[in-house]
Amino acid sequence: MTWGLLSRFYPVLALLIASACSADLDAQQAKLDNFVAGNQIGSSNDYWLEMFNLAGEWERVALIYGYFEDYSGCSDIADALMKEYSREYRCIPAN
């Protein structure tokens, strides 16, 4: 193969690698979600801290547990992050 012909395949190869990584990350996220949903830590529900990202989607950034009341702890963290970074954060039940 010549360099010109080979260089045409690089974008396709990069796309295949990226899609394989994405599927793997999705599978890992699903495993984590299932584990957390079935394994509450402490006496109150655990919470996901989510950030509204630049793509216009809610993205999980942290799992909050270990507080006497986990929602209050998560809300405090979300409020502090909103003040510091001027982005939208929220807390949703993890289990």
Side-chain angles (χ1 to χ4, degrees):
M1 282 189 177
T2 66
W3 177 253
L5 184 58
L6 187 60
S7 67
R8 292 181 192 164
F9 290 106
Y10 285 138
V12 173
L13 181 61
L15 206 68
L16 288 173
I17 291 171
S19 66
C21 292
S22 175
D24 187 45
L25 289 175
D26 290 342
Q28 289 178 26
Q29 180 68 46
K31 285 181 184 178
L32 179 61
D33 291 346
N34 289 335
F35 179 80
V36 170
N39 293 281
Q40 177 178 311
I41 298 172
S43 59
S44 68
N45 282 352
D46 307 320
Y47 282 83
W48 289 111
L49 175 64
E50 293 186 334
M51 172 186 66
F52 196 68
N53 66 23
L54 297 176
E57 302 168 334
W58 287 102
E59 177 180 354
R60 292 179 179 164
V61 294
L63 177 62
I64 308 301
Y65 62 92
Y67 290 85
F68 178 72
E69 211 299 298
D70 292 327
Y71 182 75
S72 296
C74 187
S75 293
D76 290 345
I77 294 168
D79 290 343
L81 289 169
M82 283 189 273
K83 288 177 187 171
E84 180 70 24
Y85 297 109
S86 300
R87 297 187 77 167
E88 199 172 345
Y89 289 84
R90 71 178 184 186
C91 299
I92 63 165
N95 41 40

